[in-house]
Amino acid sequence: MAAPATHEYFMARAIQLAERGIYSTHPNPRVGCVLVKKDRIIAQGWHKKAGAAHAEIDALNALATGDGARGATAYITLEPCNHFGQTPPCCEQLIAAGVTRVVAAMKDPNPLVSGTGFKRLADAGVEVVSGVLEQEARTLNPGFIKRMESGLPYVRSKLAMSVDGRTAMASGESQWITGPAARKDVQRYRARSSAIITGSGTVLHDNPSLNVRDESLVADSPIGAPPAPVLRVILASKFDIDPQSRMFSLPGDIIIAGTRDNENRRRLDAAGASTLIAGQPGQAVDLLALLKRLADRGCNEVLVEAGATLSGAFLQAGLVDELVIYMAPKLLGHTARPLFKLPGIEKMADRVNLSITGTRVVGEDLRINAIVCSP
């Protein structure tokens, strides 16, 4: 006889469902829900996109009969909400449906919820269990969690380099260090991000699109639609960006952050960009202030795709949560441009320590995921 299914078994399924919203839910979290009776799944759901039904309601709506949830256990990757947002409180609908137990992976870090959902359920006589596969559930929403807990988005810095740690030739030529498979893999990081940040130098030298253009993501999307255009953010202290750059002709919003209110800024506003002042005139853009502005806009995960100077500035400011490095089996030589510019590192004690969390061969290249260790 097969062993009875466990809390972990059903929560793992809820996490699988939540992952379907990886490209479509921001600024909301990715959430999955499974309704269970007598060790059998009777309905399941997930949050498809902001404004759509939350995972719990999606699962309730999937039931064959209106009273099918009576006496059921709901397995949910995040504490049910207990407030009115774009949709009614999920707690009330679970209670009304007759659910007798809620098993959640984690408490919602949103201050509007943060334990009040559990309390409302318990006050209504619903058994509450929390902490089942919590770490796995947290990996679903690193950006949402960080934004709720610290007021900042989760920052990934994506770079491509040769085996000898070079990102471009001395002239700036860089296309292409990595192969097609790695470039396709980057599309998935772009699609899950709320914003992509780059610098004026990258726009000048590479004229990038910084959009999501992998058509396979449409086929992979459970909602049958491509990921929404990603917000593109350009750092240019003097607003010296050509409004004829490629990205201005593509769908999606563009923000240009600078430090000088000048004629260049007004020209970019007229071209359809949104401009903002982040920092003091004559200085570089204040990266922390910029990230706070993006978090206020609802950005959960941010992808930095920039050159050695800006990527190094984010790293030295302690604002990078994760590095995504694609290493190509090539040598570019000692005169080529480095991965980061990190002034002030002159001895081993000054080094930046990383913890590698994963490696994967992507086509002919190697992808390295690493987090920055605390000093």
Side-chain angles (χ1 to χ4, degrees):
M1 179 181 295
T6 64
H7 285 339
E8 289 76 13
Y9 173 85
F10 293 118
M11 189 62 73
R13 177 56 185 159
I15 288 172
Q16 288 179 333
L17 292 166
E19 288 173 341
R20 295 184 179 185
I22 195 167
Y23 303 137
S24 58
T25 65
H26 59 91
N28 291 353
R30 300 140 185 159
V31 184
C33 176
V34 173
L35 298 176
V36 175
K37 271 188 182 181
K38 297 179 180 178
D39 281 348
R40 183 176 66 87
I41 294 175
I42 60 172
Q44 54 190 18
W46 54 286
H47 183 45
K48 295 179 173 62
K49 61 180 180 179
H54 287 188
E56 302 93 319
I57 311 310
D58 194 47
L60 291 172
N61 290 341
L63 288 166
T65 61
D67 63 351
R70 193 157 303 279
T73 295
Y75 290 85
I76 314 166
T77 58
L78 189 68
E79 175 186 4
C81 64
N82 189 38
H83 69 287
F84 281 89
Q86 289 182 283
T87 57
C90 292
C91 282
E92 300 301 332
Q93 299 191 57
L94 289 169
I95 293 167
V99 168
T100 56
R101 180 168 58 184
V102 167
V103 179
M106 61 177 289
K107 183 169 74 172
D108 192 334
N110 186 344
L112 293 175
V113 185
S114 193
T116 64
F118 290 152
K119 184 178 186 305
R120 175 68 186 102
L121 292 167
D123 289 346
V126 177
E127 180 186 353
V128 175
V129 178
S130 180
V132 177
L133 298 187
E134 180 171 353
Q135 188 54 49
E136 290 83 349
R138 291 183 70 89
T139 62
L140 286 168
N141 296 295
F144 178 78
I145 293 170
K146 186 179 178 188
R147 181 165 67 88
M148 290 296 136
E149 292 180 343
S150 71
L152 294 171
Y154 185 89
V155 178
R156 291 185 181 91
S157 181
K158 189 279 298 181
L159 305 108
M161 70 175 189
S162 60
V163 170
D164 51 350
R166 302 293 168 166
T167 62
M169 304 309 295
S171 64
E173 179 188 358
S174 62
Q175 298 181 344
W176 295 102
I177 292 176
T178 54
R183 298 198 295 275
K184 184 175 181 179
D185 194 57
V186 171
Q187 296 293 309
R188 298 181 180 275
Y189 281 102
R190 288 183 178 181
R192 68 175 291 163
S193 301
S194 302
I196 302 172
I197 298 177
T198 195
S200 56
T202 297
V203 176
L204 176 64
H205 290 294
D206 298 339
N207 195 18
S209 299
L210 294 185
N211 61 350
V212 180
R213 52 186 180 272
D214 182 355
E215 294 185 0
S216 70
L217 294 178
V218 180
D220 291 346
S221 170
I223 63 173
V230 179
L231 173 67
R232 288 156 296 175
V233 182
I234 308 170
L235 276 61
S237 58
K238 300 177 183 178
F239 292 106
D240 48 350
I241 297 293
D242 184 355
Q244 299 301 314
S245 299
R246 181 181 296 145
M247 67 178 70
F248 282 84
S249 65
L250 300 171
D253 294 338
I254 297 173
I255 290 178
I256 302 176
T259 60
R260 298 182 183 181
D261 188 6
N262 55 21
E263 186 58 36
N264 288 340
R265 182 187 185 189
R266 287 177 278 280
R267 181 163 47 89
L268 291 169
D269 284 330
S274 297
T275 61
L276 60 86
I277 299 293
Q280 298 299 314
Q283 298 182 10
V285 171
D286 185 327
L287 302 181
L288 179 59
L290 173 65
L291 291 178
K292 288 180 178 178
R293 297 279 285 272
L294 293 179
D296 290 342
R297 188 184 170 109
C299 291
N300 290 330
E301 298 177 25
V302 168
L303 187 65
V304 176
E305 294 195 45
T309 300
L310 182 55
S311 297
F314 269 100
L315 188 60
Q316 285 200 304
L319 298 174
V320 175
D321 296 290
E322 180 182 356
L323 296 176
V324 182
I325 301 173
Y326 295 87
M327 186 171 70
K330 298 176 175 68
L331 297 171
L332 300 186
H334 72 281
T335 62
R337 298 186 179 185
L339 191 65
F340 292 105
K341 286 187 178 178
L342 298 172
I345 296 183
E346 299 178 354
K347 52 185 182 296
M348 287 297 291
D350 301 326
R351 68 189 182 273
V352 177
N353 293 318
L354 308 176
S355 175
I356 295 176
T357 57
T359 58
R360 179 180 177 182
V361 174
V362 182
E364 62 186 25
D365 305 308
L366 178 68
R367 190 185 76 205
I368 304 169
N369 292 77
I371 58 174
V372 182
C373 299
S374 301

